[in-house]
Amino acid sequence: MRASQQTQGIKSNCPTEIVSRPCILSLSRTHASGHTRARAHTNTLFHYANLEVSATFRASDRLAATKHFSDFVFQSKLLRRKCVQKQIFAVRSMAITEPSRLGRLTSPNGPPGVGKPSSQFEHQSSDSILGQEGVTSNFWRKTKIVCTIGPSTSTREMIWKLAETGMNVARLNMSHGDHASHQKTIDLVKEYNAQFEDKVIGIMLDTKGPEVRSGDVPQPIMLKEGQEFNFTIKRGVTTDDTVSVNYDDFVRDVEVGDILLVDGGMMSLAVKSKMEDLVKCVVVDGGELKSRRHLNVRGKSANLPSITDKDWEDIKFGVDNQVDFYAVSFVKDARVVNELKDYLKSCNADIHVVVKIESADSIPNLHSILSASDGAMVARGDLGAELPIEEVPLLQEDIIQRCHSMRKPVIVATNMLESMINHPTPTRAEVSDIAIAVREGADAIMLSGETAHGKYPLKAVKVMHTVALRTESSLPISSTPANQLTAYKSNMGEMFAFHATTMANTLNTPIIVFTRTGSMAVLLSHYRPCSTIFAFTNDRERIKQRLVLYHGVMPIYMQFSDDAEETFSRALKLLVDKGLLKEGEHVTLVQSGAQPIWRVESTHHIQVRKVQG
């Protein structure tokens, strides 16, 4: 059939019923001949609202890098929208037929929050194609929450409660505590993870880095505007007008006229003069100076190595305990990342490196730093101290976009619910801050002092969870995912992640993917499907715990059998038993990735299945 005849089979008066049959889209590459062929089985029915399509495709020998692989965007006639077919692809033959009788259009998906407590902010989507009005694909929160563990949350009871309230990753801040206290936290998190197939908490070790801090003071010192105050490199000095700093080159690095920011800018002092071992200042903005407060110089970074001797000890501690992520502080260039990765490789340690963007020196090298890393954290506290604060929101958006384009997770951190350290409710500005990070596409948002030493750690997590969930529910649902122009630039797996997302968004179904390396789950997360990605893996620790940081991915441990259908059935039964799916729902099932699972060579499959009882 010629291209001009291809659309003759489409009828405008589509039947109002639909038959529940599997939909399978597959793409296989024959390595011997080097040819690629795409096909959708002729006996397969695509269920898009009031239209059922069966088609056979035979593609030209090579997939064009910038061509769409027979994109179908069908939207519900019930919503007074047109059925649209788009194809920008060389097709040798295609047949479109209309079945004589179809079953009535019904909702395959249950209400939001199946198996979970209902949120007061549950959203009802009007873009459900296979569903009734009020059905939404936003079942669960997709933006992840990182919680810093400290004195307020270091007990077994609190870690369990944090996990059940919404924590996805436990952060160990190596600037505080010792290895014994952090070891206790690691053991408790691993104990939690061992009890569940469908729940997991990742572990992130955050290095102290080359921080310049003031010394210990027996009592907080009240600094008043216009008061003279000094910093000395002599250790152990504490008087009413002088405290020590932990950086020997502090006097050399600062200049007369510099503005010193204390505790992320809570206080500021102007440098008036310098002596051999003393920096004399005048207080510009006063406040209460407590022990070991962080010091920054506006527009400058300290001339210290990004990874200090203490950091290397902490990194080895992380290797011994098999943490999932390192958050590396004050990264200034890619060399630091490569040095750490070489060390991890020599230790045979599979730990991902997340760079913290918080130094003025990192901005010119941002692209190379992100390229070398496995993810990034926008550490806005020190970033706003070393750079003009008005630049921070723009940098946050830029870093999120860069990481998203590189398919790397990005965390927005610092001061997100700062007021909840001492108060049970957040400010409206803090709520807006969380919503902005979610709308900009951050993979995760982070709590620091709120959960480490705050008075209301569980309430802070609940607020973050609720605001993120409500914001996600308000985002527009499109049948075509973002970044479609990059869907064909890399490999077959990337193309299928794009089309699996398109299908899941159009049909309003969750995605099920089976993975040994996590690669396909990461690609799917990159295209931001509107529903949850259930990522089944047979690696209980490394892959399962790593995937928990990625947007929209719910990693689940399950041993794979040699029989694909048996594994599919067990996965669906597990989801139903856990309350994550309901009988009668449809799911989009993806078989693809770096390593074949039940596949001949590199055959890829996308299927739409109905969950049977």
Side-chain angles (χ1 to χ4, degrees):
M1 181 183 297
R2 295 182 179 275
S4 61
Q5 299 173 306
Q6 290 173 0
T7 59
Q8 294 178 0
I10 297 181
K11 304 284 178 121
S12 60
N13 297 321
C14 302
T16 59
E17 297 183 344
I18 191 166
V19 176
S20 295
R21 293 177 57 183
C23 169
I24 304 174
L25 178 65
S26 67
L27 186 67
S28 60
R29 176 181 293 152
T30 306
H31 290 273
S33 63
H35 296 305
T36 302
R37 55 191 174 88
R39 57 193 176 83
H41 300 295
T42 54
N43 62 345
T44 295
L45 300 181
F46 287 78
H47 312 306
Y48 295 100
N50 299 328
L51 181 67
E52 181 169 301
V53 181
S54 65
T56 299
F57 304 100
R58 183 170 299 277
S60 57
D61 292 342
R62 172 166 294 202
L63 287 171
T66 59
K67 298 294 184 180
H68 283 190
F69 170 61
S70 46
D71 284 341
F72 291 100
V73 180
F74 299 93
Q75 297 185 342
S76 176
K77 184 179 179 181
L78 296 175
L79 297 174
R80 298 181 180 180
R81 298 178 183 177
K82 297 179 180 180
C83 296
V84 181
Q85 177 197 21
K86 294 194 301 181
Q87 181 179 353
I88 312 173
F89 194 85
V91 179
R92 295 179 182 173
S93 64
M94 181 172 72
I96 301 178
T97 61
E98 181 183 355
S100 58
R101 292 291 298 169
L102 299 175
R104 179 169 295 277
L105 178 65
T106 58
S107 170
N109 293 329
V114 174
K116 292 177 65 68
S118 298
S119 166
Q120 60 176 319
F121 293 123
E122 282 178 352
H123 173 64
Q124 294 185 342
S125 168
S126 62
D127 285 338
S128 172
I129 300 301
L130 279 181
Q132 301 171 349
E133 289 187 12
V135 174
T136 175
S137 60
N138 290 312
F139 292 172
W140 295 277
R141 171 176 46 82
K142 293 184 279 292
T143 307
K144 305 307 177 71
I145 296 176
V146 181
C147 296
T148 305
I149 305 301
S152 296
T153 51
S154 58
T155 65
R156 184 182 188 275
E157 178 186 12
M158 285 302 299
I159 288 176
W160 254 249
K161 287 182 177 180
L162 284 174
E164 295 304 314
T165 305
M167 175 176 70
N168 301 110
V169 177
R171 172 177 173 254
L172 312 176
N173 186 358
M174 305 310 287
S175 296
H176 304 281
D178 54 19
H179 284 183
S181 63
H182 294 307
Q183 182 71 61
K184 176 185 174 184
T185 299
I186 291 172
D187 293 341
L188 289 173
V189 171
K190 289 186 175 182
E191 179 186 345
Y192 178 88
N193 289 341
Q195 297 185 18
F196 303 100
E197 296 170 323
D198 59 321
K199 298 178 182 179
V200 64
I201 301 300
I203 302 173
M204 175 178 289
L205 188 153
D206 195 324
T207 64
K208 182 176 183 293
E211 296 178 326
V212 179
R213 289 184 178 267
S214 60
D216 289 311
V217 296
Q219 296 292 332
I221 301 173
M222 184 58 66
L223 302 182
K224 297 181 180 180
E225 183 179 346
Q227 172 188 345
E228 291 188 355
F229 195 81
N230 309 316
F231 294 96
T232 178
I233 59 174
K234 292 182 178 179
R235 297 295 188 266
V237 175
T238 302
T239 66
D240 291 340
D241 63 358
T242 305
V243 295
S244 60
V245 294
N246 66 345
Y247 178 36
D248 290 336
D249 288 332
F250 183 73
V251 176
R252 185 179 65 181
D253 281 3
V254 302
E255 301 292 340
V256 173
D258 283 347
I259 299 296
L260 300 182
L261 300 177
V262 182
D263 201 10
M266 301 303 291
M267 293 160 277
S268 62
L269 303 91
V271 177
K272 292 301 182 183
S273 62
K274 299 194 302 181
M275 300 176 63
E276 183 179 353
D277 57 7
L278 192 72
V279 175
K280 292 187 174 184
C281 307
V282 173
V283 176
V284 177
D285 296 306
E288 194 175 59
L289 177 62
K290 300 179 181 179
S291 296
R292 287 173 289 162
R293 298 297 93 182
H294 196 187
L295 301 178
N296 296 93
V297 178
R298 172 78 73 187
K300 293 183 179 180
S301 298
N303 294 318
L304 287 169
S306 293
I307 303 180
T308 65
D309 291 340
K310 179 190 181 324
D311 293 336
W312 284 115
E313 293 176 5
D314 294 338
I315 288 168
K316 184 180 184 304
F317 171 77
V319 169
D320 294 339
N321 284 277
Q322 295 183 315
V323 301
D324 303 300
F325 308 96
Y326 287 123
V328 186
S329 300
F330 297 100
V331 175
K332 300 177 183 178
D333 53 52
R335 178 187 55 80
V336 176
V337 182
N338 294 327
E339 182 182 5
L340 176 55
K341 285 196 168 186
D342 289 342
Y343 171 77
L344 296 176
K345 186 176 181 180
S346 69
C347 298
N348 196 28
D350 186 15
I351 302 174
H352 277 196
V353 177
V354 175
V355 293
K356 294 174 66 177
I357 307 301
E358 54 188 336
S359 168
D361 291 344
S362 68
I363 304 306
N365 304 317
L366 194 55
H367 180 76
S368 61
I369 291 173
L370 296 178
S371 298
S373 72
D374 300 304
M377 179 189 296
V378 188
R380 304 177 300 178
D382 288 293
L383 193 61
E386 294 196 4
L387 294 171
I389 56 174
E390 63 270 20
E391 297 295 332
V392 175
L394 303 177
L395 281 170
Q396 172 178 310
E397 184 177 11
D398 180 46
I399 294 168
I400 290 174
Q401 290 177 352
R402 287 173 184 261
C403 287
H404 193 46
S405 68
M406 296 179 184
R407 297 190 300 277
K408 296 180 180 182
V410 57
I411 306 164
V412 175
T414 319
N415 302 131
M416 300 211 80
L417 288 173
E418 186 79 5
S419 69
M420 291 194 73
I421 292 177
N422 296 308
H423 302 283
T425 57
T427 68
R428 308 312 182 253
E430 289 169 337
V431 170
S432 297
D433 184 37
I434 294 172
I436 289 169
V438 172
R439 293 184 70 87
E440 288 178 344
D443 287 80
I445 45 186
M446 194 176 96
L447 295 168
S448 300
E450 301 94 331
T451 52
H453 57 83
K455 296 179 180 179
Y456 307 97
L458 295 177
K459 287 187 176 181
V461 176
K462 186 175 181 180
V463 166
M464 187 165 271
H465 164 79
T466 305
V467 174
L469 186 65
R470 178 64 182 94
T471 304
E472 290 170 357
S473 73
S474 71
L475 298 177
I477 298 175
S478 171
S479 59
T480 304
N483 305 303
Q484 61 265 43
L485 296 181
T486 64
Y488 310 97
K489 292 183 179 179
S490 179
N491 52 42
M492 197 71 70
E494 186 170 347
M495 189 185 74
F496 260 76
F498 169 78
H499 285 290
T501 300
T502 301
M503 183 175 289
N505 286 357
T506 303
L507 300 179
N508 191 25
T509 65
I511 296 176
I512 297 177
V513 60
F514 299 88
T515 180
R516 287 196 177 106
T517 65
S519 61
M520 178 50 62
V522 170
L523 285 174
L524 288 165
S525 174
H526 167 64
Y527 286 111
R528 295 295 195 264
C530 296
S531 297
T532 304
I533 304 166
F534 296 112
F536 283 86
T537 178
N538 59 353
D539 187 323
R540 179 179 283 276
E541 292 187 1
R542 307 313 300 161
I543 303 304
K544 181 185 176 187
Q545 292 173 204
R546 178 175 300 157
L547 288 176
V548 76
L549 185 61
Y550 286 86
H551 186 277
V553 177
M554 182 182 291
I556 300 173
Y557 169 76
M558 188 183 75
Q559 281 295 331
F560 301 155
S561 70
D562 293 333
D563 183 82
E565 287 300 322
E566 177 189 345
T567 305
F568 298 164
S569 297
R570 285 199 291 117
L572 292 175
K573 183 178 185 302
L574 185 151
L575 292 175
V576 171
D577 291 345
K578 298 289 185 181
L580 302 173
L581 285 180
K582 291 176 63 179
E583 294 179 8
E585 289 187 58
H586 287 78
V587 297
T588 298
L589 191 150
V590 181
Q591 296 180 69
S592 182
Q595 295 184 4
I597 305 174
W598 318 291
R599 294 187 281 114
V600 178
E601 294 174 331
S602 62
T603 302
H604 300 64
H605 295 279
I606 304 172
Q607 303 180 25
V608 174
R609 293 194 176 195
K610 184 176 182 179
V611 179
Q612 303 293 339

